[in-house]
């Protein structure tokens, strides 16, 4: 019998969902899950997690040395993890199955200019449906900062947990005084989704991710859960090494969902216990029909109100319409044109900076922003 967090009437469908997960490897998005685990939020909204502490993003531009810029990038990155990986538990009760975006789905948002941090804009486009791939671009023009990346997942099942390998990477570009640019290649941690049997999934991060600067500074971030460095969940340890060296100049450790410290000085490094700032989005009637919240509004309303019949009817409408589009494209020998991104087979920044820390894989594709967002 599955756990108590599963409503009595959905226990058998949860058990068969878990069984089907165990048999599917790669892409979970098309599996039908029982209603209690459905989230009304589409995956295209997730890139907003990168910037919910806009002042930490802006602070990267204010750092004066190569070392302090790498520290500022690490600080901002670690401070995004709580939002990226635990916010559904806080908002929706547990990790849930997000809406699977349609090809061409868009999500636009911004964080206003406050306390001279500059305005930050966000452009997201779903660039593939199966497998789901989400491309994003974040910019703070007045600070000379951009973040371009894409996100896909490869899932497998092991020991009762879902293991999610993140595919994709992000590149942060910083305009330096005098016209030079510094780039940071950001790779992403592996996820384990635990608590499935009980019907209350949550995420633990595992293994290692990297932030490699074009100046040579490298952050190597190791993630552990309960029972490793200490008895606590959500632990990390980050080593910052100077160009060409294997010896850490600085070490940071702690819990990515609360606080961490600079081990050398004992000073506080990150503290994400205070409020974060959600992205501002246009109201539904100002949105285009391809914008996520408008596109999914009837489905999301059904899920929020517990009216799953309406939710699934509205979802089928969207999916049927999509299938028809794909058939029409096939007949006309055309493909869906991406609006904001160009696909490249190999990202030169990934290859060049990845070589410095022996990135695996050695090459990855990328989606290059066309500089044509609604804010441009
Ligand atoms: C794995 C996941 C979809 C992908 C989500 C990603 C990796 C997307 C990029 C963000 O930057 C970070 C992120 C956070 C999410 O935790 C992760 C999702 C968790 C669950 C979801 C599965 C496809 C759904 C599994 C179904 C279960 C929960 C029943």
């Amino acid at each position: 019998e599955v756990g108590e967090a599963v409503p009595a009437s959905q226990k058998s469908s949860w058990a068969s969902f878990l069984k089907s997960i165990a048999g599917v490897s790669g892409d979970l998005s098309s599996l039908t899950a029982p209603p209690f685990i459905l989230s009304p939020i589409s995956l295209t909204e997730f890139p907003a997690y990168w910037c919910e502490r806009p002042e930490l993003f802006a602070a990267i531009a204010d750092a004066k040395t190569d070392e302090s810029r790498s520290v500022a990038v690490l600080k901002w990155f670690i401070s995004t993890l709580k939002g990226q990986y635990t916010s559904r538990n806080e908002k929706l009760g547990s990790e849930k199955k997000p809406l699977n975006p349609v090809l061409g789905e868009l999500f636009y948002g911004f964080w206003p200019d406050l306390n001279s941090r500059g305005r930050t804009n966000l452009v997201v486009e779903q660039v593939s449906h199966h497998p789901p791939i989400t491309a994003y671009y974040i910019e703070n023009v007045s600070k000379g900062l951009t973040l371009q990346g894409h996100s896909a997942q490869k899932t497998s099942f092991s020991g009762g947990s879902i293991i999610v390998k993140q595919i994709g990477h992000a590149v942060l570009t910083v305009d330096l005084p005098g016209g030079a640019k510094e780039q940071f290649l950001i790779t992403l941690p592996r996820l384990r989704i635990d608590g499935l049997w009980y019907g209350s999934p949550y995420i633990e991060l595992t293994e290692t991710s990297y932030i490699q600067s074009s100046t040579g500074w490298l952050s190597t971030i190791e993630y552990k859960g309960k029972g490793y460095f200490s008895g606590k969940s959500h632990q990390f340890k980050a080593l910052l090494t100077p160009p060409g060296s294997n010896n850490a100049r600085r070490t940071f450790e702690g819990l990515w969902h609360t606080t961490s410290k600079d081990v050398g000085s004992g000073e506080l490094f990150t503290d994400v216990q205070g409020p974060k700032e959600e992205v501002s989005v246009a109201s539904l009637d100002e949105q285009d029909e391809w914008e996520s919240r408008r596109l999914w509004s009837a489905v999301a309303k059904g899920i929020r109100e517990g009216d799953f019949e309406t939710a699934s009817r509205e979802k089928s409408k969207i999916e049927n319409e999509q299938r028809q589009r794909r058939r029409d494209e096939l007949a006309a020998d055309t493909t869906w044109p991406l609006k904001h991104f160009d696909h490249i087979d190999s990202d030169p920044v990934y290859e060049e900076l990845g070589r410095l820390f022996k990135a695996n894989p050695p090459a990855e594709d990328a989606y290059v922003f066309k500089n044509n967002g609604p804010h441009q």
Side-chain angles (χ1 to χ4, degrees):
E1 175 98 332
V2 290
E4 64 268 22
V6 184
S9 63
Q10 297 177 38
K11 282 196 191 313
S12 69
S13 75
W14 182 238
S16 49
F17 177 71
L18 294 182
K19 252 185 234 143
S20 56
I21 291 179
V24 170
S25 82
D27 173 11
L28 291 184
S29 56
S30 49
L31 294 180
T32 307
F36 84 94
I37 206 73
L38 301 179
S39 152
I41 299 159
S42 159
L43 261 187
T44 54
E45 295 207 20
F46 283 43
Y49 293 130
W50 284 115
C51 227
E52 291 184 324
R53 296 182 190 273
E55 67 294 345
L56 291 182
F57 188 58
I60 295 167
D62 301 329
K64 298 281 180 282
T65 63
D66 294 354
E67 176 178 347
S68 64
R69 247 184 327 273
S70 276
V71 172
V73 172
L74 179 65
K75 186 176 188 156
W76 155 75
F77 174 82
I78 298 291
S79 303
T80 72
L81 299 177
K82 180 186 183 197
Q84 305 260 20
Y85 302 109
T86 70
S87 58
R88 276 84 50 201
N89 295 64
E90 286 175 8
K91 233 177 150 171
L92 308 167
S94 78
E95 186 63 61
K96 301 228 161 163
K97 189 170 186 287
L99 295 168
N100 187 31
V102 303
L103 179 61
E105 184 174 323
L106 302 168
F107 184 70
Y108 301 133
F110 69 96
W111 292 263
D113 177 12
L114 294 174
N115 310 321
S116 58
R117 68 184 188 196
R119 175 183 158 117
T120 310
N121 296 321
L122 168 70
V123 178
V124 184
E125 181 170 4
Q126 190 68 12
V127 292
S128 167
H129 179 58
H130 278 306
I133 307 176
T134 311
Y136 52 87
Y137 184 79
I138 297 173
E139 64 177 4
N140 180 331
V141 176
S142 64
K143 294 283 176 181
L145 295 168
T146 66
L147 180 78
Q148 176 178 277
H150 70 283
S151 163
Q153 301 86 38
K154 219 180 191 122
T155 51
S156 57
F157 200 69
S158 167
S161 303
I162 300 174
I163 310 293
V164 183
K165 182 176 185 233
Q166 295 205 66
I167 317 274
H169 59 273
V171 173
L172 171 71
T173 304
V174 185
D175 293 342
L176 301 175
K181 283 185 194 301
E182 179 177 356
Q183 289 190 301
F184 294 83
L185 169 63
I186 301 171
T187 69
L188 304 163
R190 201 166 276 218
L191 278 59
R192 207 180 55 229
I193 309 179
D194 291 329
L196 288 168
W197 191 249
Y198 304 100
S200 49
Y202 63 92
I203 282 170
E204 189 53 273
L205 298 180
T206 70
E207 302 196 11
T208 308
S209 76
Y210 301 90
I211 306 177
Q212 174 70 64
S213 162
S214 53
T215 62
W217 287 87
L218 170 68
S219 291
T220 303
I221 309 153
E222 243 187 289
Y223 304 88
K224 297 275 191 273
K226 271 197 187 88
Y228 286 89
F229 305 136
S230 78
K232 297 178 178 141
S233 307
H234 305 339
Q235 304 164 60
F236 80 94
K237 186 176 189 169
L239 304 179
L240 180 67
T241 43
S245 160
N246 288 324
N247 298 327
R249 175 74 54 85
R250 315 265 296 261
T251 303
F252 305 91
E253 74 182 334
L255 305 178
W256 49 258
H257 66 308
T258 54
T259 59
S260 67
K261 60 179 191 203
D262 179 332
V263 175
S265 67
E267 274 171 29
L268 188 68
F269 181 50
T270 55
D271 182 354
V272 288
Q273 297 172 110
K276 58 182 183 134
E277 210 177 308
E278 285 194 12
V279 64
S280 299
V281 179
S283 64
L284 287 189
D285 48 310
E286 287 166 325
Q287 287 181 27
D288 182 86
E289 53 179 341
W290 286 95
E291 284 184 66
S292 186
R293 290 190 187 172
R294 171 130 178 221
L295 188 123
W296 291 107
S297 63
V299 178
K301 184 164 181 278
I303 293 174
R304 285 204 172 93
E305 294 173 356
D307 177 359
F308 296 106
E309 240 176 82
T310 305
S312 103
R313 195 178 53 243
E314 295 294 331
K315 185 164 164 274
S316 299
K317 265 196 217 161
I318 295 176
E319 287 167 350
N320 291 337
E321 199 260 352
Q322 283 288 308
R323 274 191 277 271
Q324 190 55 49
R325 265 179 206 277
R326 300 291 90 82
R327 278 194 290 267
D328 293 347
E329 284 162 10
L330 208 62
D333 198 20
T334 56
T335 51
W336 176 262
L338 299 183
K339 185 166 180 174
H340 295 296
F341 295 89
D342 288 316
H343 183 236
I344 53 171
D345 288 332
S346 181
D347 182 350
V349 182
Y350 182 97
E351 269 187 54
E352 191 189 322
L353 297 184
R355 215 172 289 131
L356 300 175
F357 64 97
K358 300 191 179 61
N360 179 22
E364 267 195 1
D365 64 345
Y367 293 85
V368 180
F369 185 55
K370 294 185 196 183
N371 258 306
N372 62 348
H375 326 283
Q376 258 68 36

